Amino acid sequence: MVLKRSKGYQDIEGTSGSNPPSSTNELVDPDTVIPQEIEMASVSVVPDDTFTVTQAVNALGFGWFQVKLSLWTGLCWMADSMEMTILSILSPALHCDWHISRYQQALTTTVVFLGMMLSSTFWGNLSDRYGRKQALTLCAILLFYYGLLSAIAPSFMWILLLRGLVGFAIGCTPQSVTLYAEFLPTKQRAKCVVLLDCFWALGACFEVALALVVMPTLGWHWLLALSTGPLLAFALICPWLPESARFHVASGQTEKALETLEKIAKDNGKPMLLGRLVVDDSMTSSPHRGRFKDLLVPSLRKTSLLLWFIWMACAFCYYGLVLMTTELFETSAIICSEKPVPIQSLDTCAADCRQLQTTDYMDLLWTTLAEFPGIFLTIFIIERFGRKKTMAVQFVAYAICCSFLMVCTRKRIFLTIMLFFARGIIAGVFQAAYVYTPEVYPTSLRAVGVGSCSAMARFGAMVTPYVAQVLLKSSISLSTTTYSVAALLAAIGCLLLPIETSGKELTENVQQHANANALKTKK
């Protein structure tokens, strides 16, 4: 009918003379004729009775659905944190039990981050192609399986292999933040993602408390086995995880996206939006979702390169501080002693083995608790000053705290206070990065974007044991200076990021991101 009306309209204007004259004299019902101008407008203007996923998520607000999702993704984050905290406890235990050297201690940490680095982009690609839920379910099963096998490892080579496989599975856990962020209204997104770090801090504190009870009596084998508890719980609840409505829309599954939005409306006690769910313009993007090379298209290249460096520096500084916490007290007592200590004693043998004491666990617990004030400080400033400035200022503050660690002292209280402040600050940087990264990438590349940043973070974490556990034994000032310089360079990188995402909606495709970037450049 539309084509026929259009042709009749053209005949009246004299643009076509092939029709018989009687056709122009035919009476036409004005109610059935649609002028061409109106027809063309209806193609490009979205009617009022339609809505997008972004509009639906903002309208349905934060409610019981998001509370449940917070607990589920928080459990995943808690399990990840426990596996990371084990690294600072496992190395000294292996040194005493299996008489491994300092370089082998560092290797037990490095191999975990190597697995995470190699798998992060893989998991991101899998999430963008097949869904966040599918990737997280597979991750939880593998992580629990390899974590349990690590507890019965019979030799050092076996522990290296199994911990590397644990690292491979952990590479998917950042996708829980991707899933979580895609269900959050714009106004609550930053606050909620930062608050998710509370589960990370709880996991770290729980692991230290568990080690304090288990290590003196049962040893590290039982510590590894018991630490898989949250992993098992998360694996069991994975069937109830919702799939991202944004992923469904980006993959052309509009009906499934609508079902998820109706579930949100029911759980939050809000009326479902009237009208039809439209795909927005995400279907005009490339049909290839989750391609790594798309992160380097002109509109994303600068952002991606800077974020990779920022994440690498952030993980280098964060995990360096975690590992230094159990090393710094012993090293300060040796290096800052009035009696000269031979270099050979720094790479101690079995006879010089020193198990972690209750005071060491308490110091580790206190510095871990620093993440809570760091979280709340980040929440306070991230919306007021923006994501970029928040990360930059916190990196500078971390560098200042590290400079105080250069002071050679045997006073545990001074070291504990400096480590407390530094740990809280760098934890805040990590959470600000987790807020910014999912916001700056479009839906079709969001998971692989977060995954690639996570991979670069793991590269920084791979390097940090050789600074925090090896270089620290010979020079405290040189190792802490390394962390300060890395933090200052990352602060500059934060300020150079082309887009500030504070208050911005999540984009659906690369073209939307390019338009936003161009608008920002004009301003």
Side-chain angles (χ1 to χ4, degrees):
M1 290 296 293
V2 173
L3 290 175
K4 191 172 183 180
R5 290 169 189 157
S6 176
K7 185 174 180 181
Y9 182 83
Q10 291 171 356
D11 290 342
I12 292 174
E13 292 294 312
T15 57
S16 175
S18 59
N19 290 339
S22 61
S23 65
T24 59
N25 298 326
E26 184 178 343
L27 292 177
V28 181
D29 185 355
D31 293 332
T32 62
V33 176
I34 302 177
Q36 189 176 18
E37 293 85 355
I38 298 178
E39 287 185 26
M40 296 303 295
S42 67
V43 175
S44 57
V45 177
V46 178
D48 292 336
D49 63 344
T50 62
F51 60 91
T52 63
V53 172
T54 299
Q55 292 170 339
V57 169
N58 285 331
L60 297 175
F62 187 95
W64 177 239
F65 180 89
Q66 283 79 11
V67 170
K68 291 190 298 182
L69 190 60
S70 300
L71 296 175
W72 291 341
T73 54
L75 188 60
C76 178
W77 219 224
M78 183 177 176
D80 186 2
S81 172
M82 292 176 66
E83 291 296 330
M84 292 297 98
T85 306
I86 285 175
L87 298 176
S88 60
I89 300 170
L90 182 62
S91 293
L94 293 179
H95 173 65
C96 292
D97 282 9
W98 290 346
H99 311 157
I100 61 176
S101 67
R102 287 288 174 185
Y103 286 96
Q104 288 176 315
Q105 284 184 258
L107 187 59
T108 59
T109 302
T110 298
V111 73
V112 177
F113 291 116
L114 176 63
M116 297 168 75
M117 184 189 73
L118 294 177
S119 68
S120 292
T121 305
F122 162 79
W123 288 114
N125 183 280
L126 196 70
S127 297
D128 277 332
R129 286 177 179 269
Y130 303 106
R132 286 67 161 128
K133 176 180 177 178
Q134 303 298 329
L136 285 170
T137 302
L138 180 59
C139 156
I141 295 171
L142 292 178
L143 193 52
F144 171 73
Y145 179 68
Y146 291 127
L148 202 58
L149 286 181
S150 298
I152 57 174
S155 65
F156 179 68
M157 293 306 298
W158 271 107
I159 199 73
L160 283 183
L161 174 63
L162 292 170
R163 297 308 293 175
L165 292 172
V166 166
F168 183 89
I170 291 178
C172 185
T173 53
Q175 300 310 325
S176 63
V177 180
T178 302
L179 176 67
Y180 185 55
E182 290 181 336
F183 279 115
L184 293 173
T186 302
K187 292 182 179 180
Q188 285 86 19
R189 189 187 308 128
K191 183 187 300 182
C192 292
V193 172
V194 174
L195 279 173
L196 197 64
D197 192 47
C198 288
F199 288 95
W200 177 280
L202 283 172
C205 292
F206 180 73
E207 185 63 35
V208 174
L210 185 64
L212 182 60
V213 175
V214 173
M215 287 295 289
T217 55
L218 300 176
W220 62 268
H221 293 279
W222 276 98
L223 179 65
L224 290 180
L226 294 174
S227 297
T228 60
L231 293 171
L232 177 61
F234 180 70
L236 293 176
I237 66 170
C238 274
W240 286 273
L241 275 179
E243 182 55 88
S244 169
R246 293 181 187 274
F247 165 77
H248 280 146
V249 165
S251 58
Q253 304 176 68
T254 311
E255 291 299 324
K256 291 185 178 180
L258 187 59
E259 291 176 6
T260 302
L261 294 175
E262 291 173 346
K263 173 66 174 173
I264 298 175
K266 180 180 179 181
D267 285 351
N268 290 358
K270 296 288 185 68
M272 183 62 185
L273 273 67
L274 299 177
R276 296 182 298 106
L277 174 63
V278 294
V279 182
D280 204 1
D281 60 352
S282 61
M283 294 303 292
T284 63
S285 62
S286 171
H288 303 287
R289 301 186 309 276
R291 293 196 308 184
F292 177 80
K293 68 178 183 180
D294 289 339
L295 298 175
L296 297 175
V297 296
S299 62
L300 287 171
R301 186 179 299 121
K302 183 178 180 181
T303 299
S304 294
L305 292 176
L306 285 172
L307 278 177
W308 291 345
F309 175 73
I310 291 168
W311 277 68
M312 180 175 64
C314 189
F316 177 77
C317 295
Y318 177 85
Y319 291 110
L321 197 71
V322 171
L323 296 174
M324 278 198 301
T325 302
T326 55
E327 300 285 346
L328 197 58
F329 299 107
E330 178 186 356
T331 303
S332 296
I334 296 175
I335 294 181
C336 301
S337 175
E338 297 179 358
K339 298 180 181 180
V341 179
I343 298 297
Q344 290 80 357
S345 67
L346 297 179
D347 190 14
T348 55
C349 61
D352 298 320
C353 163
R354 176 183 176 274
Q355 295 278 4
L356 294 180
Q357 305 298 317
T358 301
T359 53
D360 297 312
Y361 288 117
M362 293 306 298
D363 289 329
L364 185 60
L365 182 61
W366 276 112
T367 55
T368 302
L369 288 173
E371 296 201 16
F372 289 103
I375 293 167
F376 297 120
L377 177 64
T378 302
I379 291 174
F380 178 76
I381 65 177
I382 196 169
E383 293 292 359
R384 289 169 174 79
F385 302 103
R387 282 64 159 146
K388 293 164 52 178
K389 290 182 180 179
T390 297
M391 290 189 289
V393 170
Q394 288 180 320
F395 266 126
V396 173
Y398 174 84
I400 294 173
C401 290
C402 283
S403 66
F404 281 103
L405 293 176
M406 299 179 193
V407 178
C408 196
T409 178
R410 300 179 64 183
K411 295 181 179 179
R412 297 181 70 95
I413 185 64
F414 175 80
L415 293 176
T416 302
I417 291 174
M418 288 298 102
L419 289 169
F420 181 91
F421 281 112
R423 178 74 176 265
I425 291 168
I426 197 61
V429 179
F430 231 140
Q431 287 311 299
Y434 267 111
V435 172
Y436 181 86
T437 305
E439 290 179 337
V440 81
Y441 282 114
T443 299
S444 58
L445 295 173
R446 187 166 296 126
V448 75
V450 173
S452 65
C453 289
S454 179
M456 295 305 297
R458 308 317 173 187
F459 178 77
M462 283 172 56
V463 178
T464 204
Y466 297 96
V467 178
Q469 293 180 314
V470 178
L471 181 61
L472 184 73
K473 290 296 180 180
S474 57
S475 175
I476 294 178
S477 60
L478 184 58
S479 58
T480 52
T481 299
T482 303
Y483 289 115
S484 296
V485 171
L488 292 175
L489 292 175
I492 296 173
C494 293
L495 297 176
L496 293 177
L497 286 168
I499 292 181
E500 172 57 63
T501 62
S502 181
K504 300 290 192 303
E505 301 288 354
L506 297 181
T507 56
E508 300 298 335
N509 56 52
V510 176
Q511 185 59 46
Q512 279 187 343
H513 182 277
N515 294 340
N517 202 356
L519 182 63
K520 181 68 177 180
T521 303
K522 289 180 181 179
K523 290 182 179 180

